[in-house]
Amino acid sequence: MSESEPPADELDRDTITGNGIANWLNANGPEWVLWIEPLDGDPEYLGFVDGRFKVAKDDEIIPVALHYISDLADRARRVEHRSLAESPFTVDDEDDDGEDG
């Protein structure tokens, strides 16, 4: 069991809204992000990072507006929470992987 778990409230793809996602991210970010698989495309990570809602897709991290979050909620096939460490939003401040040259 993790030391810091997100709340037990699940985001059901049949009932989520853009406001519901934004509220969840405000309450649980930046430690937790959402992995959303839309009906019509590749999965996207959505998080509240550095004080802004951002999406990570196609190897880019882009700030987004609530309208985009609502659109993504409407198209969601699957929604899961993931830790920030498992997401593309992480920044490798410590490049101490033991790499030699």
Side-chain angles (χ1 to χ4, degrees), residues 4-101:
S4 112
E5 297 252 340
D9 58 328
E10 292 295 319
L11 293 169
D12 184 326
R13 76 162 189 96
D14 294 325
T15 59
I16 61 170
T17 63
N19 284 336
I21 288 175
N23 289 337
W24 192 95
L25 289 170
N26 277 323
N28 298 290
E31 292 180 33
W32 296 93
V33 300
L34 295 175
W35 177 86
I36 301 175
E37 181 182 15
L39 294 169
D40 58 352
D42 294 328
E44 302 176 21
Y45 282 88
L46 185 63
F48 191 68
V49 182
D50 298 328
R52 298 200 59 188
F53 292 112
K54 295 184 180 181
V55 67
K57 68 178 204 177
D58 301 328
D59 296 326
E60 287 187 87
I61 296 176
I62 307 163
V64 294
L66 188 55
H67 175 64
Y68 181 86
I69 297 170
S70 294
D71 181 55
L72 190 57
D74 290 343
R75 298 181 291 119
R77 173 185 315 205
R78 207 165 79 190
V79 179
E80 299 175 3
H81 60 270
R82 306 264 171 100
S83 72
L84 183 66
E86 297 177 65
S87 78
F89 297 116
T90 59
V91 177
D92 293 331
D93 289 334
E94 299 174 17
D95 279 337
D96 209 7
D97 297 353
E99 294 180 27
D100 294 321

